[in-house]
Amino acid sequence: TGYICYDQGYGNTGSCESTITYLDGDNGILRHRGYPIEQLAAHSNYVETAYLVIYGELPNAEQRLKFGKLLRENATVAPQMQKFFDAFPKDAPPMVMLSSMVGALASYHPELATNNFETDLKNFDQSAAVLISKIRTIGAMIYRHQKGLPFIFPKDLPFADNFLHMMFSEPYEDYKIIPEVSHALNLLLLLHADHEQNCSTSTVRMVGSSAANIFTSLSSGIGALSGPLHGGANTAVMQMLQSIHDEGDDGTRFVEAAKQGNKSNRLMGFGHPVYRNYDPRATIIGKACDEVLAKLGIKDPLLDIAKRLEHAALNEDYFISRKLYPNVDFYSGIIMRALGIPTSMFTVIFAIGRAPGQIANWREVASNAKGRIYRPRQIFNGHPQRDYTPMNLR
Ligand code: CMC
């Protein structure tokens, strides 16, 4: 009953009230709990920003210590769960493995996943730490599985270093920490920490609104993040840059194809459902890209191609009139490549980074005593009523 507003893709629908992230797409502003992303990128690190996003305040020294301890205590994945990887094909899609493993965490932590808001909220600190820490460990296990290498156990290391250790150490030789690499990975994770009601976070809220536990809700969000129009875009950007490079093209073909307005030929890493201005994360990443490559002494031809492509697109009327600018995914892949991370892992890293925002959003839903189950309506434009036709008359 009543009047249903048609808002395709919910672009103009406020689906919830939230105190986590402020996003002003017209002016390119992004703030977590009031703090501008530029300040967090310059002064904070991923774990501290995760705490901020989840708990609403920057941690004091004692809170930070306690949070770090919880993350370290929860870094290991149960031996039985590690056996899941025996059943995944070596070339299973990484985001499929990640979503399955995160969903499976619910069965290994039944006390944290009761599908009852009250009890699940009582154990929220533990669940948040399990998720943040284990998603990273699972991410590293996915990498090792792809390479056919044995898993490496976490050590008492800072968050990003531990991830690099679990990916790149060998049983006979530890990965050597390179401060520039640790810093760049930290920055990448931090820049992905939350982003308002994006497709995957909204999915987490939607699923969570049915009182589904936090693990099941995040697993669903990871599924949403896997799509090439969302988290999968960082992979698609690299594939695009690589094929421009392989063909010795200057990128004109991709820009011209994108201008046809066909969904399947979009310029990857360009445009955003909310930003009608530069994505502030893209500005930070673009700059970091130059710095990281210079510090590591890497000359990547794909970076030159990306810059030429950006320049070409930004001078085209098609992109100017639609206010299409590079987004966070445009340069992030080039940094990850410089860190030695293969393209197949890019979206997994996005998912690890995005966990704090998804956790905080799940908590808002679970804590809202007056919250309703998410249940949008539709505009029905199918058949009017008609009579059933028996098989012999069809
Ligand atoms: N290349 C060419 N045309 C585009 C592009 C693009 N990348 N993005 C949007 N357009 C066109 C679109 O076809 C539409 O044209 P018209 O008005 O003629 O119909 C116009 O620009 C406005 O599109 P929109 O309403 O802003 O786009 P949307 O909200 O439907 O889609 C998007 C947003 C991010 C899915 C889209 O820009 C896109 O597909 N970009 C490429 C994929 C990508 O980089 N995704 C990562 C997004 S940021 C990180 C994340 O969320 O995961």
Side-chain angles (χ1 to χ4, degrees):
T1 58
Y3 182 69
I4 297 171
C5 298
Y6 179 44
D7 181 16
Q8 208 274 328
Y10 317 129
N12 293 301
T13 299
S15 61
C16 60
E17 290 182 304
S18 179
T19 59
I20 306 165
T21 288
Y22 174 77
L23 206 175
D24 174 350
D26 290 335
N27 295 303
I29 295 173
L30 174 64
R31 295 183 204 132
H32 298 319
R33 305 287 190 178
Y35 295 100
I37 191 68
E38 292 80 6
Q39 289 186 25
L40 293 171
H43 306 296
S44 185
N45 60 37
Y46 172 69
V47 172
E48 185 185 70
T49 296
Y51 184 99
L52 169 72
V53 167
I54 295 171
Y55 293 106
E57 295 296 337
L58 287 166
N60 61 28
E62 194 188 321
Q63 290 164 330
R64 175 65 185 81
L65 221 63
K66 199 171 149 211
F67 188 52
K69 185 165 172 282
L70 257 187
L71 294 183
R72 277 196 301 282
E73 285 168 1
N74 285 292
T76 312
V77 169
Q80 286 301 320
M81 254 191 97
Q82 295 179 19
K83 292 197 178 142
F84 279 45
F85 283 97
D86 293 342
F88 287 126
K90 192 161 166 274
D91 58 355
M95 290 295 277
V96 169
M97 291 192 264
L98 188 66
S99 160
S100 312
M101 293 293 286
V102 169
L105 282 174
S107 62
Y108 285 83
H109 297 277
E111 73 292 357
L112 307 179
T114 60
N115 284 5
N116 173 302
F117 281 148
E118 210 177 308
T119 41
D120 283 356
L121 279 173
K122 268 195 199 127
N123 294 315
F124 175 77
D125 290 352
Q126 182 67 17
S127 304
V130 164
L131 273 164
I132 298 269
S133 202
K134 289 200 203 306
I135 284 186
R136 169 202 49 181
T137 304
I138 294 168
M141 291 168 96
I142 290 171
Y143 172 81
R144 306 288 295 187
H145 176 72
Q146 282 180 329
K147 299 260 165 196
L149 295 170
F151 297 139
I152 299 291
F153 292 108
K155 286 213 308 196
D156 192 7
L157 287 170
F159 190 90
D161 289 352
N162 222 346
F163 183 49
L164 292 162
H165 157 71
M166 287 189 275
M167 278 202 295
F168 298 134
S169 281
E170 294 305 340
Y172 48 86
E173 190 178 16
D174 270 2
Y175 164 81
K176 286 193 188 51
I177 307 286
I178 304 167
E180 285 82 7
V181 171
S182 305
H183 177 76
L185 182 58
N186 234 304
L187 178 68
L188 269 179
L189 293 171
L190 182 154
L191 289 175
H192 286 92
D194 191 36
H195 208 236
E196 210 223 35
Q197 292 313 310
N198 57 87
C199 177
S200 52
T201 302
S202 285
T203 302
V204 169
R205 288 189 85 112
M206 167 80 82
V207 176
S209 77
S210 74
N213 69 75
I214 194 167
F215 303 96
T216 304
S217 302
L218 258 78
S219 161
S220 310
I222 292 166
L225 191 62
S226 70
L229 298 187
H230 190 11
N234 51 20
T235 309
V237 170
M238 288 312 282
Q239 286 160 349
M240 177 180 76
L241 296 176
Q242 191 65 52
S243 67
I244 293 174
H245 181 252
D246 293 347
E247 289 165 24
D249 189 7
D250 64 356
T252 316
R253 187 169 64 81
F254 280 86
V255 175
E256 287 306 313
K259 280 162 55 183
Q260 304 308 310
N262 189 332
K263 216 171 185 173
S264 54
N265 288 333
R266 283 184 171 175
L267 201 57
M268 286 295 138
F270 259 75
H272 195 275
V274 182
Y275 291 118
R276 296 289 172 244
N277 202 316
Y278 248 90
D279 177 340
R281 302 165 303 169
T283 313
I284 298 168
I285 286 198
K287 203 163 145 267
C289 217
D290 286 330
E291 287 168 10
V292 172
L293 266 64
K295 272 187 197 155
L296 297 177
I298 294 173
K299 177 101 191 65
D300 190 343
L302 297 197
L303 178 60
D304 299 332
I305 293 174
K307 287 195 168 157
R308 279 205 304 274
L309 202 63
E310 176 182 355
H311 185 258
L314 293 180
N315 281 298
E316 285 283 349
D317 202 46
Y318 175 91
F319 291 88
I320 297 168
S321 61
R322 287 170 180 76
K323 300 189 175 163
L324 300 170
Y325 294 94
N327 59 49
V328 68
D329 293 319
F330 195 66
Y331 285 107
S332 65
I334 296 173
I335 296 195
M336 288 194 260
R337 198 164 117 105
L339 306 188
I341 296 167
T343 312
S344 59
M345 284 293 292
F346 288 2
T347 315
V348 169
I349 300 218
F350 190 153
I352 296 169
R354 183 53 55 83
Q358 298 184 338
I359 291 167
N361 273 275
W362 179 89
R363 189 194 204 188
E364 272 193 351
V365 170
S367 313
N368 183 357
K370 296 221 163 88
R372 295 180 67 194
I373 190 165
Y374 284 28
R375 194 353 182 143
R377 296 300 311 272
Q378 64 172 14
I379 307 296
F380 177 75
N381 53 16
H383 277 287
Q385 181 177 327
R386 50 184 174 159
D387 291 327
Y388 181 82
T389 326
M391 181 70 88
N392 60 344
L393 296 179
R394 284 176 221 164

mmCIF file of all heavy atoms in Angstrom, residues 213-238:
data_model
loop_
_atom_site.group_PDB
_atom_site.id
_atom_site.type_symbol
_atom_site.label_atom_id
_atom_site.label_comp_id
_atom_site.label_asym_id
_atom_site.label_seq_id
_atom_site.Cartn_x
_atom_site.Cartn_y
_atom_site.Cartn_z
ATOM 1 N N ASN A 213 24.436 -13.174 11.871
ATOM 2 C CA ASN A 213 25.652 -12.844 12.620
ATOM 3 C C ASN A 213 26.652 -12.072 11.752
ATOM 4 O O ASN A 213 26.542 -12.030 10.529
ATOM 5 C CB ASN A 213 26.278 -14.123 13.193
ATOM 6 C CG ASN A 213 26.833 -14.984 12.082
ATOM 7 O OD1 ASN A 213 27.874 -14.696 11.511
ATOM 8 N ND2 ASN A 213 26.100 -16.045 11.727
ATOM 9 N N ILE A 214 27.649 -11.518 12.416
ATOM 10 C CA ILE A 214 28.605 -10.623 11.749
ATOM 11 C C ILE A 214 29.456 -11.357 10.695
ATOM 12 O O ILE A 214 29.812 -10.787 9.673
ATOM 13 C CB ILE A 214 29.481 -9.918 12.820
ATOM 14 C CG1 ILE A 214 30.253 -8.745 12.235
ATOM 15 C CG2 ILE A 214 30.407 -10.885 13.530
ATOM 16 C CD1 ILE A 214 30.882 -7.818 13.275
ATOM 17 N N PHE A 215 29.742 -12.630 10.908
ATOM 18 C CA PHE A 215 30.583 -13.367 9.950
ATOM 19 C C PHE A 215 29.818 -13.626 8.649
ATOM 20 O O PHE A 215 30.338 -13.428 7.553
ATOM 21 C CB PHE A 215 31.070 -14.692 10.561
ATOM 22 C CG PHE A 215 31.825 -14.488 11.841
ATOM 23 C CD1 PHE A 215 31.199 -14.608 13.071
ATOM 24 C CD2 PHE A 215 33.161 -14.122 11.817
ATOM 25 C CE1 PHE A 215 31.892 -14.395 14.249
ATOM 26 C CE2 PHE A 215 33.868 -13.897 12.984
ATOM 27 C CZ PHE A 215 33.229 -14.033 14.214
ATOM 28 N N THR A 216 28.574 -14.073 8.802
ATOM 29 C CA THR A 216 27.740 -14.311 7.624
ATOM 30 C C THR A 216 27.523 -12.993 6.880
ATOM 31 O O THR A 216 27.554 -12.945 5.641
ATOM 32 C CB THR A 216 26.382 -14.896 8.070
ATOM 33 O OG1 THR A 216 26.639 -16.078 8.827
ATOM 34 C CG2 THR A 216 25.486 -15.221 6.897
ATOM 35 N N SER A 217 27.328 -11.916 7.632
ATOM 36 C CA SER A 217 27.070 -10.613 6.998
ATOM 37 C C SER A 217 28.302 -10.156 6.218
ATOM 38 O O SER A 217 28.191 -9.701 5.072
ATOM 39 C CB SER A 217 26.707 -9.568 8.054
ATOM 40 O OG SER A 217 25.576 -9.990 8.787
ATOM 41 N N LEU A 218 29.494 -10.291 6.813
ATOM 42 C CA LEU A 218 30.698 -9.861 6.091
ATOM 43 C C LEU A 218 31.000 -10.760 4.893
ATOM 44 O O LEU A 218 31.460 -10.291 3.855
ATOM 45 C CB LEU A 218 31.916 -9.804 7.019
ATOM 46 C CG LEU A 218 32.249 -8.361 7.448
ATOM 47 C CD1 LEU A 218 31.313 -7.874 8.528
ATOM 48 C CD2 LEU A 218 33.685 -8.204 7.856
ATOM 49 N N SER A 219 30.698 -12.046 5.054
ATOM 50 C CA SER A 219 30.928 -12.955 3.935
ATOM 51 C C SER A 219 30.084 -12.524 2.726
ATOM 52 O O SER A 219 30.554 -12.543 1.583
ATOM 53 C CB SER A 219 30.572 -14.374 4.390
ATOM 54 O OG SER A 219 30.353 -15.195 3.307
ATOM 55 N N SER A 220 28.856 -12.100 2.988
ATOM 56 C CA SER A 220 27.988 -11.620 1.903
ATOM 57 C C SER A 220 28.552 -10.341 1.300
ATOM 58 O O SER A 220 28.543 -10.150 0.079
ATOM 59 C CB SER A 220 26.579 -11.334 2.425
ATOM 60 O OG SER A 220 26.105 -12.423 3.164
ATOM 61 N N GLY A 221 29.051 -9.463 2.168
ATOM 62 C CA GLY A 221 29.642 -8.207 1.686
ATOM 63 C C GLY A 221 30.842 -8.478 0.792
ATOM 64 O O GLY A 221 31.045 -7.803 -0.225
ATOM 65 N N ILE A 222 31.624 -9.475 1.139
ATOM 66 C CA ILE A 222 32.807 -9.810 0.337
ATOM 67 C C ILE A 222 32.362 -10.299 -1.048
ATOM 68 O O ILE A 222 32.984 -9.998 -2.064
ATOM 69 C CB ILE A 222 33.686 -10.849 1.071
ATOM 70 C CG1 ILE A 222 34.307 -10.186 2.306
ATOM 71 C CG2 ILE A 222 34.768 -11.427 0.166
ATOM 72 C CD1 ILE A 222 34.915 -11.145 3.311
ATOM 73 N N GLY A 223 31.253 -11.017 -1.090
ATOM 74 C CA GLY A 223 30.697 -11.436 -2.382
ATOM 75 C C GLY A 223 30.364 -10.217 -3.233
ATOM 76 O O GLY A 223 30.693 -10.158 -4.428
ATOM 77 N N ALA A 224 29.747 -9.216 -2.623
ATOM 78 C CA ALA A 224 29.380 -8.002 -3.369
ATOM 79 C C ALA A 224 30.635 -7.262 -3.835
ATOM 80 O O ALA A 224 30.676 -6.706 -4.938
ATOM 81 C CB ALA A 224 28.527 -7.090 -2.487
ATOM 82 N N LEU A 225 31.656 -7.300 -2.993
ATOM 83 C CA LEU A 225 32.891 -6.575 -3.324
ATOM 84 C C LEU A 225 33.634 -7.201 -4.508
ATOM 85 O O LEU A 225 34.442 -6.553 -5.166
ATOM 86 C CB LEU A 225 33.797 -6.563 -2.082
ATOM 87 C CG LEU A 225 35.025 -5.661 -2.094
ATOM 88 C CD1 LEU A 225 34.636 -4.202 -2.235
ATOM 89 C CD2 LEU A 225 35.838 -5.842 -0.822
ATOM 90 N N SER A 226 33.356 -8.474 -4.767
ATOM 91 C CA SER A 226 34.119 -9.170 -5.809
ATOM 92 C C SER A 226 33.815 -8.677 -7.232
ATOM 93 O O SER A 226 34.592 -8.910 -8.144
ATOM 94 C CB SER A 226 33.860 -10.677 -5.724
ATOM 95 O OG SER A 226 32.535 -10.961 -6.123
ATOM 96 N N GLY A 227 32.690 -8.005 -7.406
ATOM 97 C CA GLY A 227 32.278 -7.607 -8.764
ATOM 98 C C GLY A 227 33.212 -6.574 -9.384
ATOM 99 O O GLY A 227 33.736 -5.705 -8.690
ATOM 100 N N PRO A 228 33.415 -6.655 -10.714
ATOM 101 C CA PRO A 228 34.353 -5.730 -11.373
ATOM 102 C C PRO A 228 33.918 -4.269 -11.336
ATOM 103 O O PRO A 228 34.750 -3.381 -11.522
ATOM 104 C CB PRO A 228 34.428 -6.250 -12.816
ATOM 105 C CG PRO A 228 33.253 -7.137 -12.985
ATOM 106 C CD PRO A 228 32.887 -7.662 -11.625
ATOM 107 N N LEU A 229 32.640 -4.002 -11.097
ATOM 108 C CA LEU A 229 32.239 -2.600 -11.004
ATOM 109 C C LEU A 229 32.513 -2.041 -9.615
ATOM 110 O O LEU A 229 32.367 -0.851 -9.360
ATOM 111 C CB LEU A 229 30.745 -2.422 -11.342
ATOM 112 C CG LEU A 229 30.337 -2.819 -12.750
ATOM 113 C CD1 LEU A 229 28.890 -2.440 -13.024
ATOM 114 C CD2 LEU A 229 31.237 -2.154 -13.803
ATOM 115 N N HIS A 230 32.879 -2.922 -8.694
ATOM 116 C CA HIS A 230 33.134 -2.489 -7.308
ATOM 117 C C HIS A 230 34.593 -2.839 -6.978
ATOM 118 O O HIS A 230 35.502 -2.313 -7.612
ATOM 119 C CB HIS A 230 32.114 -3.212 -6.410
ATOM 120 C CG HIS A 230 32.039 -2.744 -4.994
ATOM 121 N ND1 HIS A 230 32.638 -1.622 -4.526
ATOM 122 C CD2 HIS A 230 31.393 -3.286 -3.919
ATOM 123 C CE1 HIS A 230 32.369 -1.473 -3.238
ATOM 124 N NE2 HIS A 230 31.627 -2.482 -2.838
ATOM 125 N N GLY A 231 34.836 -3.736 -6.032
ATOM 126 C CA GLY A 231 36.217 -4.021 -5.622
ATOM 127 C C GLY A 231 37.053 -4.645 -6.718
ATOM 128 O O GLY A 231 38.278 -4.495 -6.746
ATOM 129 N N GLY A 232 36.386 -5.360 -7.619
ATOM 130 C CA GLY A 232 37.119 -6.033 -8.691
ATOM 131 C C GLY A 232 37.701 -5.062 -9.704
ATOM 132 O O GLY A 232 38.464 -5.461 -10.597
ATOM 133 N N ALA A 233 37.370 -3.767 -9.567
ATOM 134 C CA ALA A 233 37.850 -2.792 -10.561
ATOM 135 C C ALA A 233 39.373 -2.660 -10.541
ATOM 136 O O ALA A 233 39.984 -2.426 -11.581
ATOM 137 C CB ALA A 233 37.205 -1.429 -10.320
ATOM 138 N N ASN A 234 39.993 -2.836 -9.355
ATOM 139 C CA ASN A 234 41.463 -2.682 -9.314
ATOM 140 C C ASN A 234 42.144 -3.734 -10.204
ATOM 141 O O ASN A 234 43.148 -3.457 -10.856
ATOM 142 C CB ASN A 234 42.010 -2.677 -7.871
ATOM 143 C CG ASN A 234 41.532 -3.847 -7.034
ATOM 144 O OD1 ASN A 234 41.092 -4.857 -7.576
ATOM 145 N ND2 ASN A 234 41.624 -3.718 -5.725
ATOM 146 N N THR A 235 41.556 -4.936 -10.238
ATOM 147 C CA THR A 235 42.093 -5.990 -11.099
ATOM 148 C C THR A 235 41.845 -5.628 -12.567
ATOM 149 O O THR A 235 42.735 -5.756 -13.421
ATOM 150 C CB THR A 235 41.387 -7.331 -10.776
ATOM 151 O OG1 THR A 235 41.448 -7.527 -9.370
ATOM 152 C CG2 THR A 235 42.025 -8.489 -11.492
ATOM 153 N N ALA A 236 40.623 -5.155 -12.839
ATOM 154 C CA ALA A 236 40.261 -4.814 -14.217
ATOM 155 C C ALA A 236 41.136 -3.679 -14.751
ATOM 156 O O ALA A 236 41.501 -3.669 -15.934
ATOM 157 C CB ALA A 236 38.782 -4.422 -14.278
ATOM 158 N N VAL A 237 41.516 -2.723 -13.888
ATOM 159 C CA VAL A 237 42.386 -1.619 -14.319
ATOM 160 C C VAL A 237 43.733 -2.182 -14.785
ATOM 161 O O VAL A 237 44.229 -1.822 -15.859
ATOM 162 C CB VAL A 237 42.628 -0.601 -13.163
ATOM 163 C CG1 VAL A 237 43.716 0.396 -13.531
ATOM 164 C CG2 VAL A 237 41.351 0.137 -12.813
ATOM 165 N N MET A 238 44.282 -3.091 -13.985
ATOM 166 C CA MET A 238 45.597 -3.632 -14.338
ATOM 167 C C MET A 238 45.523 -4.418 -15.645
ATOM 168 O O MET A 238 46.434 -4.354 -16.470
ATOM 169 C CB MET A 238 46.122 -4.554 -13.225
ATOM 170 C CG MET A 238 46.550 -3.839 -11.993
ATOM 171 S SD MET A 238 47.626 -2.431 -12.283
ATOM 172 C CE MET A 238 49.170 -3.231 -12.570
#
